[in-house]
Amino acid sequence: QVQLQESGPGLVKPSETLSLTCRVSGASVSSGNYYWSWIRQPPGKRPEWIGYIFYTGSTNYNPSLESRVSISADKSKNQFSLRLSSVTAADTAVYYCARDALDGVDYWGQGTLVTVSS
Amino acid sequence: DIQMTQSPSTLSASVGDRVTITCRASQNINIWLAWYQQKPGKAPNLLIYKASTLESGVPSRFSGSGSGAEFTLTISSLQPDDFATYYCQQYNTYSRTFGQGTKVEIK
C-alpha cells in the first residue's frame, strides 16, 4: 500500500522560505511512471497544482509559482521536498504531497496546514 | 493556462436522486480529465480518470462522460456517503488545473 506523509513547519513568517518534505512508503520515487507532486488548497478554495518531479529528476512547475518554487528528490531516503520562497499570506494553505499516475492523482498524503504569519 | 469551470457550485439533493455535475475546459483537452470527491478535512479521492474510466474500488453508481471541452459526472442514485465536494481536474498538458468544485448538500 502506497503511503505519503508530509512534514515541516506549520508556521512560516512572511518573506521567508516554506520547506516541506514528503516521505514515501510502498513505492519508489526513483522508478515508475509517476509524477511526485505537490498540491495545495487554501481554506475553502479549490486545490492548486504546485509542481512535480519525475523519477528521472526532471521537474515542472505551475507558471504562476515557477519563480519561487523548487522540488527535489532524495532517492536514498525515498522522499521528495518542496521549497517555496518569499511567502506571503496568500501562500497559507493545506499542502499535500501526492503521486500523480499520469491519469489522475491516485495517492495523497493527509495534508499539512502551513500558515504564513508574523 | 487551461481554465476549468464547474456547474453548479452547490447542488441540493436527496438520497436516491440522480445527480449530474458539469465541467467545462477553456480549450480542447481530449479525454484527459479526472474527477475527485473530497470530504471535510480529507484529501481528495480519485473517482474517474480519462473522462470515463472508473478508478478501482469506486462504486459503479459513479460515471463520467464527455470529451473535448465538456464533461459530466453522474451519480445514478445518491447515497448518504456521497454528500461531499466534487472537483474536476485536467491533465492535457504538463500542468494540471482544478475546477472550483461542486458541493453536494442534503436537501
Side-chain angles (χ1 to χ4, degrees), chain A residues 16-70:
Chain A
E16 295 190 343
T17 296
L18 178 161
S19 295
L20 296 173
T21 295
C22 180
R23 187 177 66 193
V24 179
S25 58
S28 173
V29 302
S30 55
S31 65
N33 249 6
Y34 301 110
Y35 293 147
W36 299 98
S37 305
W38 288 96
I39 297 166
R40 69 182 184 179
Q41 187 170 28
K45 297 188 176 181
R46 73 181 81 185
E48 179 183 32
W49 172 73
I50 299 171
Y52 55 66
I53 186 164
F54 197 43
Y55 78 96
T56 57
S58 65
T59 54
N60 274 306
Y61 303 124
N62 186 323
S64 69
L65 300 170
E66 190 163 14
S67 63
R68 299 193 291 131
V69 70
S70 174

Side-chain angles (χ1 to χ4, degrees), chain B residues 3-74:
Chain B
Q3 308 301 316
M4 306 301 293
T5 305
Q6 290 179 233
S7 60
S9 295
T10 306
L11 188 160
S12 296
S14 302
V15 172
D17 284 353
R18 181 181 180 87
V19 165
T20 298
I21 299 168
T22 298
C23 178
R24 290 184 174 84
S26 59
Q27 64 188 70
N28 185 350
I29 59 169
N30 200 337
I31 59 166
W32 309 120
L33 184 101
W35 289 98
Y36 300 85
Q37 177 192 70
Q38 187 177 34
K39 296 184 177 179
K42 300 293 186 182
N45 182 49
L46 179 63
L47 300 174
I48 286 168
Y49 60 94
K50 281 185 186 173
S52 61
T53 302
L54 205 63
E55 174 73 346
S56 175
V58 174
S60 59
R61 62 181 180 273
F62 291 93
S63 64
S65 65
S67 65
E70 187 156 336
F71 304 85
T72 59
L73 172 70
T74 300

Side-chain angles (χ1 to χ4, degrees), chain A residues 41 46 52 100 103 105, chain B residues 36 38 49 91 94 96 98:
Chain A
Q41 187 170 28
R46 73 181 81 185
Y52 55 66
D100 184 325
D103 266 326
V105 178
Chain B
Y36 300 85
Q38 187 177 34
Y49 60 94
Y91 52 98
Y94 75 89
R96 281 92 168 95
F98 291 83

